[in-house]
Amino acid sequence: MREILGRRRRLLSQRKDGRPDVISAALTFATEWQWPVLPGVAADPQDGSRCGCPDPDCTVPGAHPFDPGLLAATTDARMVRWWWANRPGAPIILATGGKAPCAVSLPALPAARALDALDRLGMRLGPVVASPTRWSILVKPYSMEQLGELLYAKDFVPGSLRFHGEGGYLALPPSETCHGEVRWERAPLPGSASPWVPDVEAVVDAVVEALTRTGVSAPEL
């Protein structure tokens, strides 16, 4: 089934009180889509703007693995239920690469402009994850060699682009981080199996072209 272009902000599931059901979302990712996940470190309970990890200069506060580490990511339903039963406020962290999607991310404002430009070009995109600071376009798994060859062939690649490949991670909706809510800017189709995602080559080609156009260029963040 073809992804419908346009903005969809549907959470995978919600509780009766309207708040997002994080454990149900984590189980959907792990058991239905076979995306390995684990709970991330939450915000500092004494100061919600700071990460709960020991690093005072954490660059992704409340949106990264800590204990357990990234290698613990799993698709096992029992482990997922146990984790979030004990840590219900923990963000959902996807271990990117392998059989799970990878991602290309960029700052939020240029990302919104780039997606509008890609829509006008008729570019087909899969799910897009949005946080208040950065948006991430999910893509098919790629190797570092594949990515290196792709970037080497470019005359210019904006430094604001980040790549979440093998050994990387990404916070998924409906996580709450120190920067705010993680949501779907382009949500998977309701009831779909593991969502379709494009090749990294197509996304990088289109995003670099969109970002380097006048008025759409991104700061080096």
Side-chain angles (χ1 to χ4, degrees):
M1 183 178 292
R2 182 178 177 83
E3 284 282 348
I4 300 173
L5 292 177
R7 295 181 178 180
R8 297 186 298 272
R9 293 183 171 87
R10 176 184 178 274
L11 291 174
L12 288 173
S13 58
Q14 291 185 329
R15 304 189 314 193
K16 291 182 179 179
D17 60 6
R19 297 177 61 189
D21 189 346
V22 178
I23 190 169
S24 292
L27 285 168
T28 295
F29 300 139
T31 62
E32 295 184 24
W33 298 356
Q34 292 296 293
W35 293 2
V37 298
L38 75 162
V41 60
D44 186 326
Q46 305 301 321
D47 181 357
S49 65
R50 296 177 60 86
C51 189
C53 75
D55 183 359
D57 300 315
C58 180
T59 57
V60 281
H64 67 90
F66 175 62
D67 182 17
L70 186 62
L71 292 179
T74 184
T75 58
D76 182 77
R78 292 174 298 178
M79 194 74 244
V80 170
R81 287 193 185 95
W82 186 85
W83 273 333
W84 272 277
N86 288 277
R87 299 167 60 179
I92 304 171
I93 303 298
L94 168 70
T96 54
K99 295 183 178 180
C102 295
V104 177
S105 74
L106 58 160
L109 181 57
R113 294 174 179 170
L115 260 62
D116 286 342
L118 299 185
D119 284 348
R120 290 193 296 271
L121 293 172
M123 173 76 184
R124 182 188 179 190
L125 295 176
V128 177
V129 176
S131 76
T133 56
R134 296 187 72 85
W135 291 11
S136 301
I137 302 171
L138 299 189
V139 298
K140 291 179 181 177
Y142 56 78
S143 67
M144 294 306 295
E145 292 80 7
Q146 180 184 3
L147 179 63
E149 291 177 1
L150 174 62
L151 299 182
Y152 182 76
K154 299 288 181 190
D155 293 329
F156 171 72
V157 177
S160 56
L161 285 183
R162 294 179 187 169
F163 301 91
H164 308 257
E166 185 74 36
Y169 59 87
L170 185 70
L172 293 176
S175 301
E176 286 285 345
T177 74
C178 296
H179 287 148
E181 178 191 10
V182 179
R183 59 177 177 80
W184 295 112
E185 175 62 24
R186 303 286 175 89
L189 291 175
S192 63
S194 184
W196 177 89
V197 293
D199 291 326
V200 66
E201 292 91 346
V203 168
V204 171
D205 287 346
V207 168
V208 168
E209 180 181 355
L211 288 178
T212 51
R213 291 179 181 179
T214 302
V216 190
S217 60
E220 304 294 308
L221 296 177

